[in-house]
Amino acid sequence: MSLAAARLAAEGIPGDRESLISFPGGDTPLGMVEAFTAMVNDGTVDITRTRYVSLDEWVGLTEKDAGSCGRFNFDNLINKMKVPFLEYHIINGKAPDMNEECRRLDGYIVKYGPLDVSVLGIGMNGHLGFNEEGVDFSLNAHVTPLSATTKSVMGKYFSESLDLEYGITQGIAQIMAARKAVLIANGSHKADILYKAFRGPVTNAVPASILQEHPNCYVVADEKAAAKLRISKNV
Ligand code: PGA
């Protein structure tokens, strides 16, 4: 899964112009980011004209905080690459004015986007970034209350218990405008939500289901996560 997703991401980087890419944080993308970094370091992929923008962040945390998305970006990607991105924009979840931080993120994507590649994980509730259940699909960057499901799984990212209530995220409009979307999922715990997102109706009750309408979306899953997606007849 990780290798396939890293290759899809690399192939989405155009050779003839500047580009913009985005990866998620979390457990799922670790192997993908490692594989992508290896491709950068062995020269398979050229990111010298590529900008990187983070997908989301916990409100209250910055890249300095363990368990934050920004920290994930630095520890696993930016600081591991022998060749730097042209530039990167990491969301600050502790900005004094979070609305202004949303506008900064929007401005960056308007200036350098649209995204050439958006790699995404899927939450247990079907969220993309922090686009939680009920999200307005037309939104750009926004701050949102964390859903009960997100709060119930968030403990795995932090060694101490944190009282986090909000997330800041790229919006579905920005994700849907990406030239290529790559959704990755692994493990049997993701089988039900993957099935709902890609075999069920498009609904903001399952935010990832909107990707059914993306013109160039790849779903890359391991056998366990994909267990319910198997096509049982020839189509
Ligand atoms: P995970 O998170 O990779 O840690 O399961 C996925 C997500 O919430 O997007």
Side-chain angles (χ1 to χ4, degrees), residues 6 63 106 195:
E63 67 209 36
D106 286 343
Y195 180 81

Side-chain angles (χ1 to χ4, degrees), residues 7-179:
R7 284 193 196 117
L8 281 167
E11 286 162 13
I13 295 176
D16 56 349
R17 60 171 170 81
E18 292 182 356
S19 56
L20 182 65
I21 67 169
S22 182
F23 294 164
D27 290 338
T28 314
L30 255 175
M32 186 277 299
V33 168
E34 199 176 281
F36 184 86
T37 303
M39 290 168 82
V40 170
N41 289 346
D42 71 14
T44 312
V45 56
D46 177 9
I47 45 78
T48 53
R49 288 204 287 169
T50 300
R51 290 182 174 83
Y52 179 84
V53 61
S54 58
L55 173 65
D56 57 0
E57 187 56 278
W58 308 92
V59 169
L61 302 186
T62 75
E63 67 209 36
K64 300 203 167 42
D65 296 301
S68 70
C69 304
R71 178 77 166 262
F72 178 94
N73 282 297
F74 279 99
D75 285 355
N76 301 298
L77 183 68
I78 294 167
N79 291 344
K80 292 256 167 80
M81 297 189 325
K82 291 185 193 148
V83 183
F85 285 119
L86 176 59
E87 199 174 79
Y88 53 79
H89 179 104
I90 304 298
I91 300 167
N92 177 6
K94 221 176 177 174
D97 179 343
M98 290 307 294
N99 286 327
E100 176 58 25
E101 187 63 11
C102 290
R103 286 193 293 273
R104 258 179 19 95
L105 180 57
D106 286 343
Y108 196 80
I109 296 174
V110 166
K111 188 165 181 193
Y112 299 116
L115 289 160
D116 289 281
V117 181
S118 173
V119 181
L120 302 153
I122 181 169
M124 293 297 287
N125 58 348
H127 74 192
L128 298 175
F130 283 131
N131 290 277
E132 301 280 44
E133 302 102 304
V135 68
D136 178 344
F137 285 153
S138 69
L139 289 180
N140 285 316
H142 60 280
V143 169
T144 185
L146 300 173
S147 71
T149 310
T150 300
K151 283 187 182 173
S152 72
V153 297
M154 66 184 256
K156 68 176 180 161
Y157 302 117
F158 305 105
S159 52
E160 52 183 321
S161 97
L162 294 176
D163 192 19
L164 302 173
E165 296 288 338
Y166 294 90
I168 174 173
T169 185
Q170 287 177 29
I172 296 291
Q174 290 154 325
I175 291 169
M176 289 299 282
R179 292 192 170 94

